Amino acid sequence: MPDDSRHRVAAIDCGTNSIRLLISDIDGDTKSDLLREMRIVRLGQDVDRTGHLAEEAVARTLGATREYAELIAMFGVTDIRFCATSAMRDADNAADLEDAVEGILGVRPEVLAGVDEARASFLGATRDLEQVRTLVVDIGGGSTELVVGSGDEIEWSVSLDIGSVRLTERFLSGDPAPVNEVTDCMAYLDGIIRPVLAGLAPIGSFVGVAGTVTTVAAHSLALPSYDSETIHGAKLALDDVQAACLSLVQMSVADRRALPFMHPGRADVIGAGSVILDRLVELLPLDTDTLVVSEHDILDGIAWDMVR
């Protein structure tokens, strides 16, 4: 007889910079990942300035979605969930993209509110960690989510409109960015971050997810290539994290692209992402001197939610 408890699911996270696919088998409390894919499509290109999804960005995103549709069919997936975040929250023509995606995949994209994005990131990042009070940071292309909780219980969360693509377009036009651009970006971030942290009790467990954090981790570890197994679960001293952030923001795009672990589609925006991470390390009420890096993030949270 067929095993009705097993679900083969496909979770798609459509962000401001990348679109990612996870195909997993979920059986009760066990998730077995079969495939992870990422394409840099820069859906959020100029959205911060125009409030509109650019035609070429939509074309790149739909091209990746068609590739994912073929993979989903190949793996015999039974359930599909397509979630979109900051860029589609902000764009006035997001419905047109939603219609096109539905035509390709047969499911309507869900545009997650910031609080839902934060919750999914937290669940994905912490499910296989010790269930203690933890702060998860997810730095994306258009927004950054901060979540505090334990187990399935979310205590506090906030979604901030600060992301690597958004802040690169606003502040870091130089290559490499001159000191005044970096300091202006830092001052802006401090003004955004400080007020939302007022009254937040000290946190003893600090976890970082998504491309900015994993790339900074690879740089801090001086990896000869991008190595998910080494990065996942790495515990980095906060001083080393900030040193790696400073190093990346001072580099030219060409020098970043030459780093053996750097995805070429992230090289031009990792500087701004690094500044965000640096300011969070500086300002968060942390009762720990380490950052735990997780390769499990919003994609994993989306997948788990499909079988709840």
Side-chain angles (χ1 to χ4, degrees), residues 236-251:
L236 307 177
L238 295 182
D239 287 347
D240 292 342
V241 171
Q242 289 187 287
C245 289
L246 180 60
S247 171
L248 285 168
V249 78
Q250 291 176 330
M251 288 184 183

Side-chain angles (χ1 to χ4, degrees), residues 17 42 137-146 162-172 177 182 185-186 189 193 206 208-217 241-242 244-250 256 262 265-282 291:
N17 196 41
R42 195 65 57 87
V137 57
D138 181 343
I139 300 172
S143 66
T144 292
E145 281 63 50
L146 304 173
I162 52 174
S164 61
V165 175
R166 192 187 298 270
L167 292 189
T168 297
E169 292 179 350
R170 282 193 189 183
F171 291 99
L172 306 184
V182 175
C185 185
M186 286 181 167
L189 286 168
I193 296 168
F206 181 33
V209 302
T212 287
V213 171
T214 57
T215 302
V216 170
V241 171
Q242 289 187 287
C245 289
L246 180 60
S247 171
L248 285 168
V249 78
Q250 291 176 330
R256 293 176 196 150
M262 182 69 65
R266 203 177 298 283
D268 62 331
V269 296
I270 190 62
S274 297
V275 177
I276 296 169
L277 181 56
D278 171 79
R279 300 322 297 156
L280 288 171
V281 169
E282 192 69 28
L291 169 67

Side-chain angles (χ1 to χ4, degrees), residues 217-234:
H219 190 45
S220 180
L221 295 167
L223 296 183
S225 63
Y226 193 88
D227 183 347
S228 294
E229 291 188 6
T230 299
I231 291 170
H232 183 61

Side-chain angles (χ1 to χ4, degrees), residues 9-283:
V9 303
I12 297 174
D13 167 35
C14 184
T16 299
N17 196 41
S18 66
I19 181 169
R20 299 179 302 140
L21 168 68
L22 170 64
I23 297 177
S24 299
D25 282 337
I26 299 182
D27 188 354
D29 289 330
T30 302
K31 180 167 71 70
S32 302
D33 296 341
L34 306 177
L35 180 71
R36 288 182 186 263
E37 293 284 328
M38 180 184 74
R39 307 285 185 271
I40 299 289
V41 295
R42 195 65 57 87
L43 180 61
Q45 172 189 328
D46 294 330
V47 168
D48 186 60
R49 178 176 59 84
T50 67
H52 200 74
L53 296 175
E55 184 177 342
E56 59 270 30
V58 169
R60 291 191 296 266
T61 302
L62 292 178
T65 302
R66 292 186 188 96
E67 291 181 44
Y68 289 172
E70 293 179 2
L71 292 168
I72 287 167
M74 184 186 308
F75 276 82
V77 168
T78 56
D79 298 286
I80 305 170
R81 191 176 182 205
F82 185 112
C83 293
T85 54
S86 177
M88 286 181 68
R89 283 198 296 266
D90 294 348
D92 56 16
N93 60 334
D96 294 338
L97 179 55
E98 293 172 35
D99 291 342
V101 169
E102 186 173 15
I104 295 168
L105 293 174
V107 297
R108 189 78 179 173
E110 302 172 49
V111 181
L112 297 181
V115 64
D116 295 321
E117 181 180 358
R119 176 180 174 276
S121 293
F122 184 87
L123 293 178
T126 63
R127 190 176 179 93
D128 59 354
L129 299 178
E130 184 182 359
Q131 300 299 290
V132 297
R133 185 171 180 267
T134 298
L135 187 149
V136 172
V137 57
D138 181 343
I139 300 172
S143 66
T144 292
E145 281 63 50
L146 304 173
V147 201
V148 177
S150 179
D152 289 343
E153 298 298 319
I154 305 300
E155 169 191 326
W156 173 90
S157 70
V158 64
S159 179
L160 303 173
D161 284 336
I162 52 174
S164 61
V165 175
R166 192 187 298 270
L167 292 189
T168 297
E169 292 179 350
R170 282 193 189 183
F171 291 99
L172 306 184
S173 60
D175 183 19
V179 171
N180 66 297
E181 289 184 358
V182 175
T183 55
D184 286 349
C185 185
M186 286 181 167
Y188 173 78
L189 286 168
D190 287 4
I192 297 292
I193 296 168
R194 283 186 193 276
V196 304
L197 301 181
L200 185 62
I203 300 138
S205 175
F206 181 33
V207 177
V209 302
T212 287
V213 171
T214 57
T215 302
V216 170
H219 190 45
S220 180
L221 295 167
L223 296 183
S225 63
Y226 193 88
D227 183 347
S228 294
E229 291 188 6
T230 299
I231 291 170
H232 183 61
K235 297 180 179 180
L236 307 177
L238 295 182
D239 287 347
D240 292 342
V241 171
Q242 289 187 287
C245 289
L246 180 60
S247 171
L248 285 168
V249 78
Q250 291 176 330
M251 288 184 183
S252 68
V253 173
D255 286 343
R256 293 176 196 150
R257 194 167 281 129
L259 294 170
F261 51 77
M262 182 69 65
H263 190 291
R266 203 177 298 283
D268 62 331
V269 296
I270 190 62
S274 297
V275 177
I276 296 169
L277 181 56
D278 171 79
R279 300 322 297 156
L280 288 171
V281 169
E282 192 69 28
L283 299 174

